[in-house]
């Protein structure tokens, strides 16, 4: 692989927490914190923020970072696809702007998937972590994922999957961590496809891949971060800082 880059999609008008990217976490904004943490992993040839907000663009630029202005998009992956069209790269890591505590190791795990994939059978990889608390399993903000015997995703849902009808059998539940690693050509193909019924219903962009017969390799991690989806999440993050 010649070049591995990270792109952080960031829109200002988040549905559940408008303006969250510009909220202060520690002594920096959330988006700047995420950008700096990804940059400091040393894993990437370049790191960009892709945004349709001049506020976010200016925030990254004035702090010495790289930002790309895009049009409006329904999903982060569509935004990234526009941003990387004219960037020379092989692998694109999509890091969510509201995951400021993401560590180096899970990102390296995703990149290693492609180094080991000599026959180039994998076009997209993502992360999962085991859920143990029943409240976390039932929470629709935690996207659950089930996989086949080879670790490829069968389905993602905000509902509890699998449903445990047989109570004598222990079921393991996994949460999807929304960090994606794409081959560039797969990302561009994704953005050329229409939004699909399950994707629209669940508001989960990764279902567009599955509904079009594409495979997603899931990598298990033990990384526990704090995704900032709500003002309550921000307060938890401030305590962690």
């Amino acid at each position: 692989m010649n070049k591995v880059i990270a792109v952080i999609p960031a829109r200002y008008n988040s549905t559940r927490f408008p303006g969250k990217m510009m909220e202060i976490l520690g002594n920096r904004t959330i988006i700047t914190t995420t950008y700096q943490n990804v940059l400091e992993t040393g894993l990437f040839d370049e790191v960009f923020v892709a945004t349709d907000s001049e506020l976010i663009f200016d925030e990254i630029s004035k702090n010495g970072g790289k930002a790309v202005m895009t049009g409006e998009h329904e999903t982060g992956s569509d935004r990234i696809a526009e941003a990387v069209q004219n960037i020379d790269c092989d692998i694109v890591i999509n890091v969510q702007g509201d995951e400021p505590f993401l560590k180096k190791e899970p990102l390296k795990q995703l990149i290693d998937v492609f180094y080991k994939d000599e026959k180039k059978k994998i076009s997209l990889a993502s992360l999962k972590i085991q859920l143990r608390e029943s409240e976390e399993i039932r929470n629709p903000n935690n996207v659950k994922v089930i996989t086949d015997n080879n670790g490829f995703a069968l389905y993602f849902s905000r509902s509890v999957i699998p449903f445990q009808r047989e109570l004598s059998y222990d079921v393991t539940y996994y949460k999807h961590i929304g960090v994606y690693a794409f081959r560039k050509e797969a990302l561009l193909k994704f953005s050329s496809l229409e939004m699909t019924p399950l994707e629209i219903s669940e508001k989960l962009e990764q279902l567009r891949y599955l509904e079009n017969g594409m495979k997603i390799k899931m990598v298990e991690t033990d990384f526990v971060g704090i995704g900032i989806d709500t003002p309550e999440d921000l307060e938890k993050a401030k305590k962690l800082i």
Side-chain angles (χ1 to χ4, degrees):
M1 296 187 297
N2 295 322
K3 191 172 182 180
V4 180
I5 69 170
V7 184
I8 304 167
R11 62 174 180 164
Y12 187 82
N13 291 317
S14 169
T15 304
R16 284 176 287 182
F17 191 179
K20 68 179 178 182
M21 294 296 181
M22 295 296 290
E23 291 284 337
I24 300 298
L25 182 61
N27 59 0
R28 300 183 294 194
T29 59
I30 290 173
I31 188 59
T32 298
T33 301
T34 303
Y35 180 89
Q36 291 295 335
N37 285 349
V38 174
L39 193 66
E40 288 167 10
T41 65
L43 293 172
F44 304 103
D45 294 291
E46 291 185 280
V47 179
F48 298 91
V49 169
T51 184
D52 58 5
S53 165
E54 291 185 8
L55 280 174
I56 293 173
F57 181 92
D58 292 343
E59 166 70 8
I60 295 300
S61 299
K62 77 179 182 183
N63 284 288
K66 297 180 179 180
V68 178
M69 284 294 292
T70 69
E72 294 185 8
H73 294 283
E74 286 288 329
T75 75
S77 296
D78 287 309
R79 186 180 307 285
I80 290 175
E82 180 187 343
V84 304
Q85 280 186 36
N86 299 314
I87 295 175
D88 178 31
C89 59
D90 297 296
I91 303 298
V92 181
I93 309 296
N94 171 351
V95 179
Q96 302 299 323
D98 57 10
E99 284 276 359
F101 300 107
L102 193 59
K103 302 294 185 182
K104 179 177 180 177
E105 185 55 34
L107 294 174
K108 185 177 184 300
Q109 285 178 281
L110 283 180
I111 295 170
D112 285 347
V113 166
F114 295 96
Y115 279 114
K116 296 172 183 176
D117 182 33
E118 295 179 358
K119 295 183 179 180
K120 295 187 176 182
K121 290 185 176 180
I122 299 171
S123 61
L124 172 61
S126 195
L127 297 171
K128 66 177 183 178
I129 187 170
Q130 188 173 344
L131 284 171
R132 302 181 188 278
E133 302 295 330
S134 59
E135 182 180 344
E136 292 294 298
I137 293 168
R138 293 194 304 269
N139 186 343
N141 289 325
N142 290 332
V143 177
K144 275 66 70 177
V145 58
I146 50 176
T147 61
D148 65 16
N149 291 334
N150 295 311
F152 288 95
L154 291 170
Y155 194 63
F156 300 85
S157 183
R158 298 185 184 279
S159 298
V160 178
I161 52 171
F163 177 79
Q164 189 178 10
R165 182 178 178 183
E166 179 50 71
L167 298 180
S168 65
Y169 181 78
D170 287 334
V171 174
T172 302
Y173 294 94
Y174 288 98
K175 174 185 176 180
H176 177 224
I177 298 175
V179 181
Y180 301 95
F182 303 87
R183 292 192 189 278
K184 180 182 176 181
E185 59 267 27
L187 175 60
L188 296 180
K189 178 180 178 180
F190 168 86
S191 68
S192 71
L193 299 170
E194 295 289 332
M195 293 183 73
T196 49
L198 294 174
E199 174 190 10
I200 294 168
S201 175
E202 296 247 26
K203 295 293 285 185
L204 298 174
E205 63 196 79
Q206 61 270 39
L207 292 176
R208 193 186 313 175
Y209 272 89
L210 298 187
E211 287 184 84
N212 281 283
M214 301 167 75
K215 288 191 170 185
I216 303 176
K217 179 71 172 180
M218 299 304 299
V219 178
E220 185 171 356
T221 181
D222 58 4
F223 165 74
V224 180
I226 295 180
I228 301 176
D229 292 316
T230 65
E232 292 75 22
D233 292 335
L234 178 57
E235 293 308 309
K236 292 179 186 177
K238 287 179 177 178
K239 290 177 181 178
L240 183 59
I241 284 278

